[in-house]
Amino acid sequence: MGHREASGASARLLEADSKSMRSMSGSRRNSGSSLVSSSSASSNLSHLEEDTWILWGRIVNEWEEWRRKKDKLLKELIRKGIPHHFRAIVWQLLGNATDMPVKNQYSELLKMSSPCEKLIRRDIARTYPEHEFFKGQDSLGQEVLFNVMKAYSLVDREVGYCQGSAFIVGLLLMQMPEEEAFCVFVRLMQEYRLRELFKPSMAELGLCIYQFEYLLQEQLPELNVHFRSQSFHTSMYASSWFLTLFLTFLPLPVATRIFDIFMYEGLEIIFRVGLAILQYNQTDLIQLDMEGMSQHFQKVIPHQFDSCPDKLILRAYQVKYNPKRMKKLEKEYTAIKNKEMEEQIEIKRLRTENRLLKQRIETLEKGQVTRAQEAEENYVIKRELAVVRQQCSTASESLEKAQDTIKELQQQKYTEQFVSNLQTQLEESRLREAELLGALKEMQDKVLDLEKRSTCLPDENNMAAMQEEVKQMKLRELETLRQLHLESPKKNAMNELQDKLMTVRLREAQAQAELREVKLKALQLESQNQIHSKLIGRNDQERSALQDRLQMLANQNKALQAQLNEMKRKQAESDCKSKEEVMAVRLREADSMAAMAELRQKIADLEIQKEEGLIQGQLNHSDSRQYINELRDQITELKNEVGHTHTQTALFSGFHVIRHNTINLLSLSGITVHFCFLH
């Protein structure tokens, strides 16, 4: 934007600011007490205010030229405080938020609905509850604050709404209309690291806390040790500093002065002010415990600089702040977080694998119990089958005896005594038949039950062959019995006995056939039992292998954890050594600087003596060349000594920087480095 366009935009901002200026209690009084007015307290106050307004009016109208050619002077004036009525314009110019395309979308965004509306409504009443502009549930301040927060939640759906951002928007609305405040807030989120701070992960806040802890450890080591001994973590007091830019910690006039500088210099002023506050209160904080420090932060510190905000800003710029070192800390923090993320992923993977292995072991243990129950049932069935086999063998012997008896009957004559014996044998055979039928019935029921519980089907081909063989045996026995029946056309009594005997024989043959079927099924059950036993053995082997692997993984995890602890210990030792060496180097640098200052003072005294000698020689018209030459020789020697001291200091500092970087690089790889210094 050219000079003429910048002037036109500034004029429009002045006109809009005069139409919609918000009143902020105490702000004019504070802006009047800036460094500009305090530099000449004896002058007329109204005259100073008039000069300040003229100066800032010229800055606004010639903004591009001031940013390009008078940047250092502009920075100094902003640090001294922007006048209240120029804040709206200057903040928009500093944030380059005068002509933003998103401003034209603001009215359309208000017509839309946001998923964060309930959260915004809930937190609005807590934003500046004592300020007149935001008092009351239906106040204009709460309404415009809701509009701006809702519009941004629709523009940036990843961030949406985050607690703490309403205080920044509320401060903007105290200075300018809601559309301009919306544009400035969008620019702050995009260009001032605020968007990263307010993301759901808040990764940028962790980085800021990490950098602040380093500065605290470096510049206030005693206070840092006290904080750690009391478990008073940095995030407990510094998180709100970065998220709300001191707007919820310090009074509004003091926080507004800090916000002026933040609009120009970014988050650096937050680090500086935070360390200045801790340095100012170090003596009191060291004597308090954790609860006492919390009370001190809430009640004492916020009101220490009410009457003199310039004192806080002056102390803030006495704090040492190295942007290059902050960049290195950012890289270190990123590397640490990436390593932690990898370790978390590995731990999560191991936990998942362990959980799956435990589930598999539980399944195998349950299967082992089930198979043990099946093996016990199979053993009971085998024992019952052995009893049935014994009964079958007894029945077979009885059948053989009956066949021998039939043969003897065919060859001998039948007597009454023989017939009575046959009847007795017939009754005994019937009794045995009844017993066998009962035993067969029980075995058939058990076989049916086993067939229902068995998951493996028998071999159909073998089953069919056995059934065919049983049928053929039955047919052969029936044929034999018919032949016996046809060959005995004797007496009626004998015929009846033979018929009964043949009937018994037939039933015994049927029982034998059924016994063969039972044997076949018993063989099938035995084969199934063997298969189950083999499966149980395989499962036991797999379970033992899985347990061994689980133990191995647990040992690996312990070894990795021990290695990680050892690396952390080495890192802590190297950090401690490096800090001690840094303190020693700084003490040596301070001594060398003091020596250089003394030598420079001597040089200045000698130069003054030289000038006095020249003047005295000219006035007295005397020859003082010898005296002047002696002074020049002394000055040359002192300069050489100063140069030599400065060179030694620079070399020593450079060696320390190289050594410190080397220790950091090697300590990350778990290597301990020892350097020997020559004092």
Side-chain angles (χ1 to χ4, degrees):
M1 184 174 63
H3 176 67
R4 185 175 298 175
E5 294 176 355
S7 301
S10 303
R12 290 195 301 272
L13 291 171
L14 278 169
E15 183 179 358
D17 184 56
S18 63
K19 291 181 181 178
S20 59
M21 187 65 63
R22 311 298 185 202
S23 61
M24 183 174 65
S25 60
S27 59
R28 283 192 184 184
R29 177 169 53 82
N30 270 294
S31 62
S33 63
S34 63
L35 293 176
V36 175
S37 59
S38 63
S39 61
S40 57
S42 61
S43 301
N44 188 3
L45 184 61
S46 61
H47 180 68
L48 277 175
E49 287 182 351
E50 184 179 355
D51 292 343
T52 304
W53 276 52
I54 292 172
L55 175 61
W56 277 100
R58 187 186 307 163
I59 290 172
V60 169
N61 290 324
E62 301 172 358
W63 181 256
E64 292 296 327
E65 184 177 357
W66 275 79
R67 288 299 299 268
R68 192 169 55 252
K69 298 181 180 180
K70 303 176 182 179
D71 189 60
K72 292 184 179 179
L73 179 58
L74 178 62
K75 182 188 293 186
E76 185 178 353
L77 290 173
I78 291 173
R79 291 178 180 178
K80 292 176 181 179
I82 303 172
H84 171 62
H85 291 287
F86 285 92
R87 277 201 173 102
I89 305 167
V90 175
W91 285 359
Q92 292 179 61
L93 291 172
L94 285 172
N96 195 18
T98 53
D99 295 319
M100 292 182 64
V102 75
K103 185 176 181 180
N104 301 326
Q105 305 174 9
Y106 183 73
S107 58
E108 296 296 329
L109 291 171
L110 296 182
K111 298 176 184 178
M112 301 167 63
S113 62
S114 171
C116 305
E117 291 184 10
K118 290 184 180 180
L119 294 175
I120 298 171
R121 287 287 187 195
R122 183 193 65 187
D123 292 339
I124 278 180
R126 311 179 207 172
T127 306
Y128 301 116
E130 303 298 327
H131 198 280
E132 291 294 333
F133 187 52
F134 296 98
K135 271 187 178 180
Q137 187 174 0
D138 299 327
S139 63
L140 177 61
Q142 289 194 12
E143 188 61 29
V144 294
L145 178 59
F146 173 79
N147 291 339
V148 175
M149 299 307 301
K150 171 187 171 182
Y152 184 80
S153 68
L154 292 169
V155 169
D156 189 354
R157 294 184 180 271
E158 182 182 0
V159 175
Y161 167 72
C162 183
Q163 288 183 341
S165 59
F167 289 94
I168 300 173
V169 177
L171 180 64
L172 296 175
L173 290 171
M174 294 177 196
Q175 313 295 331
M176 62 189 74
E178 57 182 297
E179 292 184 358
E180 283 76 4
F182 173 69
C183 293
V184 174
F185 183 64
V186 170
R187 188 66 71 184
L188 287 175
M189 295 292 284
Q190 292 175 350
E191 304 294 336
Y192 287 77
R193 292 173 64 182
L194 291 186
R195 186 176 185 275
E196 301 298 324
L197 281 172
F198 288 119
K199 275 186 177 180
S201 61
M202 288 190 174
E204 194 73 10
L205 179 61
L207 171 60
C208 292
I209 297 296
Y210 180 77
Q211 292 172 331
F212 190 83
E213 284 179 347
Y214 174 82
L215 295 176
L216 177 64
Q217 185 178 4
E218 182 183 35
Q219 301 185 26
L220 301 173
E222 294 181 4
L223 183 61
N224 180 55
V225 171
H226 179 67
F227 280 168
R228 290 190 176 184
S229 65
Q230 296 294 325
S231 298
F232 194 66
H233 303 292
T234 309
S235 58
M236 296 170 65
Y237 59 88
S239 296
S240 63
W241 295 355
F242 291 100
L243 290 174
T244 63
L245 309 177
F246 289 103
L247 292 172
T248 58
F249 183 74
L250 296 174
L252 199 56
V254 182
T256 307
R257 289 286 305 278
I258 297 172
F259 196 84
D260 289 340
I261 304 172
F262 170 76
M263 289 295 300
Y264 188 81
E265 301 182 23
L267 282 177
E268 177 181 341
I269 187 62
I270 308 300
F271 288 98
R272 289 182 177 276
V273 171
L275 285 172
I277 290 172
L278 295 179
Q279 187 178 15
Y280 187 77
N281 293 272
Q282 181 178 5
T283 305
D284 297 332
L285 290 172
I286 288 177
Q287 299 174 359
L288 299 173
D289 57 2
M290 184 175 182
E291 185 177 357
M293 288 189 289
S294 300
Q295 295 293 327
H296 194 79
F297 270 90
Q298 293 176 4
K299 298 179 180 179
V300 179
I301 295 178
H303 304 288
Q304 288 176 339
F305 304 98
D306 287 354
S307 60
C308 51
D310 295 327
K311 183 179 179 181
L312 175 61
I313 294 173
L314 187 62
R315 292 183 71 93
Y317 281 99
Q318 292 175 353
V319 172
K320 295 179 181 180
Y321 183 89
N322 189 351
K324 293 183 179 179
R325 181 57 188 161
M326 299 297 279
K327 286 289 184 183
K328 291 181 180 178
L329 290 173
E330 182 177 356
K331 292 180 180 179
E332 291 177 6
Y333 181 79
T334 305
I336 291 171
K337 285 298 175 183
N338 291 335
K339 189 175 181 180
E340 289 180 356
M341 186 67 68
E342 292 175 358
E343 291 176 353
Q344 288 177 0
I345 292 172
E346 181 65 18
I347 291 171
K348 187 176 180 181
R349 186 186 66 79
L350 290 174
R351 285 177 178 172
T352 305
E353 189 173 352
N354 289 339
R355 180 173 53 81
L356 294 175
L357 288 173
K358 287 180 180 178
Q359 291 178 356
R360 192 168 181 184
I361 288 170
E362 290 176 358
T363 305
L364 290 173
E365 288 176 350
K366 290 179 181 178
Q368 187 175 5
V369 172
T370 305
R371 286 174 174 78
Q373 293 176 355
E374 291 179 356
E376 186 176 358
E377 292 177 358
N378 289 334
Y379 174 73
V380 173
I381 292 169
K382 284 181 179 180
R383 190 171 57 188
E384 292 177 354
L385 282 174
V387 175
V388 173
R389 286 173 182 171
Q390 184 67 30
Q391 293 176 355
C392 287
S393 62
T394 305
S396 299
E397 291 177 356
S398 299
L399 286 173
E400 290 178 357
K401 289 180 180 180
Q403 288 177 357
D404 295 337
T405 305
I406 290 169
K407 290 179 180 179
E408 290 176 357
L409 287 173
Q410 289 176 356
Q411 296 175 359
Q412 296 176 1
K413 293 182 179 180
Y414 303 106
T415 61
E416 292 180 359
Q417 185 179 0
F418 181 72
V419 171
S420 63
N421 290 334
L422 285 176
Q423 288 177 352
T424 305
Q425 291 179 3
L426 180 61
E427 290 175 358
E428 291 176 357
S429 298
R430 286 178 178 175
L431 292 174
R432 286 196 300 270
E433 180 186 3
E435 292 177 358
L436 287 173
L437 287 174
L440 284 173
K441 183 65 176 176
E442 292 178 0
M443 290 303 300
Q444 286 176 354
D445 294 337
K446 291 180 180 179
V447 169
L448 289 174
D449 187 26
L450 287 173
E451 286 179 349
K452 290 179 181 179
R453 289 187 295 174
S454 178
T455 56
C456 299
L457 294 174
D459 191 357
E460 295 181 356
N461 296 327
N462 294 335
M463 190 69 180
M466 292 294 292
Q467 288 177 354
E468 186 65 27
E469 184 178 356
V470 169
K471 289 179 182 179
Q472 290 179 1
M473 288 178 65
K474 287 181 179 180
L475 291 174
R476 284 198 298 270
E477 289 177 358
L478 289 173
E479 185 66 26
T480 304
L481 290 173
R482 276 196 207 95
Q483 290 177 3
L484 289 173
H485 180 67
L486 292 174
E487 291 176 356
S488 57
K490 300 208 176 173
K491 295 179 180 180
N492 293 331
M494 289 299 296
N495 290 334
E496 290 177 0
L497 287 174
Q498 286 179 355
D499 290 337
K500 291 179 181 179
L501 185 60
M502 283 190 290
T503 304
V504 172
R505 181 83 178 275
L506 180 60
R507 289 176 182 176
E508 289 180 354
Q510 291 176 352
Q512 190 175 6
E514 290 174 355
L515 283 174
R516 289 178 180 175
E517 292 179 358
V518 170
K519 288 180 181 180
L520 177 61
K521 290 181 180 179
L523 291 173
Q524 293 173 355
L525 289 174
E526 287 179 358
S527 63
Q528 291 176 7
N529 188 20
Q530 291 177 357
I531 292 171
H532 290 161
S533 300
K534 291 180 180 178
L535 290 174
I536 290 171
R538 291 177 184 173
N539 290 330
D540 291 338
Q541 291 177 359
E542 291 180 359
R543 183 173 62 83
S544 61
L546 290 173
Q547 287 178 346
D548 294 339
R549 187 178 178 187
L550 180 62
Q551 185 66 29
M552 181 181 67
L553 290 174
N555 294 333
Q556 290 179 357
N557 193 10
K558 290 180 181 178
L560 290 172
Q561 190 66 31
Q563 187 177 2
L564 179 61
N565 294 332
E566 182 66 19
M567 291 176 66
K568 288 182 179 178
R569 185 184 64 77
K570 291 180 180 178
Q571 178 67 22
E573 291 178 356
S574 63
D575 289 343
C576 183
K577 290 180 182 178
S578 64
K579 287 171 188 173
E580 292 175 355
E581 292 164 0
V582 166
M583 293 299 295
V585 169
R586 287 182 178 169
L587 290 174
R588 295 190 187 96
E589 288 179 355
D591 294 339
S592 63
M593 292 297 290
M596 288 173 63
E598 291 178 1
L599 293 174
R600 286 174 180 169
Q601 184 64 35
K602 289 181 181 179
I603 291 171
D605 294 340
L606 291 174
E607 287 179 350
I608 291 170
Q609 292 178 8
K610 170 186 170 185
E611 294 295 331
E612 290 178 354
L614 288 173
I615 294 169
Q616 189 68 29
Q618 291 174 0
L619 291 174
N620 297 333
H621 299 285
S622 62
D623 190 7
S624 58
R625 293 181 180 274
Q626 184 176 0
Y627 179 69
I628 292 169
N629 291 331
E630 291 177 357
L631 290 176
R632 285 178 178 173
D633 294 338
Q634 292 179 3
I635 291 169
T636 304
E637 291 177 358
L638 290 173
K639 285 184 178 180
N640 292 333
E641 187 175 355
V642 169
H644 180 66
T645 305
H646 183 68
T647 303
Q648 286 183 345
T649 305
L651 287 173
F652 193 78
S653 301
F655 175 74
H656 172 69
V657 171
I658 294 171
R659 176 189 168 278
H660 185 63
N661 293 335
T662 306
I663 290 175
N664 288 335
L665 290 172
L666 294 178
S667 61
L668 290 175
S669 302
I671 303 173
T672 305
V673 182
H674 299 280
F675 285 90
C676 295
F677 287 94
L678 297 177
H679 299 283

